[in-house]
Amino acid sequence: MPFDASHDIPSEALLAAFAAGDIAAARVLTLRLTPRIFGYAMRLLRDRAEAEDVTQEALLRLWKIAPEWRMGEARVTTWLYRVTTNLCTDRLRRARWSGLDEIAEPADDAPGAFERMLDADRMDALDAALALLPARQRQAVILRHLEHLSNPEIAEVMDIGIEAVESLTARGKRRLSAALAGRRADLGYENG
Amino acid sequence: MDHGLDGVFARAVRPMPSDDLMARIMADAQAHMPRPMAARRPDGWRAVLAVLGGWLPVGGLAMATAAGLVIGMFMPDALGAFAGDGFVTGAGAYDLSDLSPQIYQFSEQELNE
């Protein structure tokens, strides 16, 4: 099956193919899902090593659940975001218990770090502002505006109602705007 | 204000995973890849064992078979006490009326009525 030639195959079908013993399907899923899950974990944790661990753990759980996956009951992406959210929440909670408000910002020595540093100031400002939000508001804003999930999908990920998602997102954006107010020039945006 | 935030979101760059992470995730997939159904199905003696319920019942079955063979081959006379001397066949064999004498009386009554 030429998975690499098509991006139209749903992740659920790829997972079923993996469960049937097709490793090529796992490769496509890895390439498709890892950047999304890692990006999300990175924004929640702000720690590259922690985000990599969480991403690997979330994908590992996906591989393990593949044989029992029931088609039509859940979407792979939504399920993964939910697992990732829970893993990140656990880690942040543990970090807080161990006396840290947030996991420390790590040194970024991964390949491509220089290219990312070109946007570092802008992204640092955004990430720093996101870090000021309460956890649930931060999750909702990231899922809606950076991961581009729909409100019903976010509701499923966060296990809340759609109205609660809308409320969290609206309050999160207000708070984010206020936090970024002093950085408008740096961030290159004006009041709309 | 949202308009400005939307611009920030639009310019946001997604942090990318390292090649090492991608390799580790693929290694996990390889290690946990489910075997195809055909490969998981037991074959040969394992299939027979599975049908018969495992080693313990099969062991009992084998012992009973061996005992039957020994008795049949080396002690055929002893079987007469059970099979040939009126227990199952022959003059002293049991009849249905021995087990339930009323059965014929009941049938006769029905016929007479």
Side-chain angles (χ1 to χ4, degrees), chain A residues 161-180:
Chain A
I162 293 175
E163 285 180 6
V165 171
E166 290 167 351
S167 171
L168 283 171
T169 310
R171 283 185 286 142
K173 285 177 75 176
R174 274 200 300 274
R175 212 156 168 163
L176 199 59
S177 286
L180 291 171

Side-chain angles (χ1 to χ4, degrees), chain B residues 30-99:
Chain B
Q30 187 85 50
H32 292 86
M33 189 173 72
R35 286 179 297 165
M37 292 302 285
R40 280 188 289 176
R41 196 179 302 140
D43 53 354
W45 281 108
R46 288 184 182 170
V48 174
L49 277 176
V51 168
L52 295 176
W55 280 110
L56 203 62
V58 169
L61 198 62
M63 283 185 66
T65 306
L69 272 173
V70 168
I71 291 169
M73 289 174 72
F74 300 108
M75 296 183 289
D77 295 341
L79 291 175
F82 297 99
D85 296 339
F87 189 74
V88 176
T89 58
Y94 285 103
D95 187 74
L96 187 60
S97 60
D98 295 325
L99 298 172

Side-chain angles (χ1 to χ4, degrees), chain A residues 18-19 21 23 26-27 30-31 34-36 38 42-43 48 52 56 60 63-64 67 119 122-123 126 141 145-147 173 176-177 180 187-190 192, chain B residues 1-37 40:
Chain A
F18 169 71
I23 195 66
R27 191 169 298 114
T30 300
L31 292 171
T34 303
R36 294 183 69 175
F38 173 75
M42 185 72 181
R43 289 197 190 282
R48 191 168 191 90
E52 288 200 345
Q56 188 175 2
L60 179 62
W63 306 141
K64 286 181 176 176
D119 283 317
R122 177 180 292 157
M123 291 316 300
L126 176 59
V141 168
H145 295 285
L146 294 169
E147 298 302 321
K173 285 177 75 176
L176 199 59
S177 286
L180 291 171
L187 293 166
Y189 76 92
E190 303 295 332
Chain B
M1 196 170 281
D2 277 0
H3 177 74
L5 264 187
D6 287 344
V8 174
F9 290 138
R11 281 189 293 272
V13 178
R14 187 195 295 278
M16 292 304 290
S18 65
D19 292 342
D20 179 59
L21 175 64
M22 302 294 273
R24 274 188 281 150
I25 289 172
M26 269 312 295
D28 283 345
Q30 187 85 50
H32 292 86
M33 189 173 72
R35 286 179 297 165
M37 292 302 285
R40 280 188 289 176

Side-chain angles (χ1 to χ4, degrees), chain A residues 109-122:
Chain A
D109 56 355
F114 177 74
E115 286 76 11
R116 286 197 299 278
M117 281 175 64
L118 297 175
D119 283 317
D121 192 41
R122 177 180 292 157

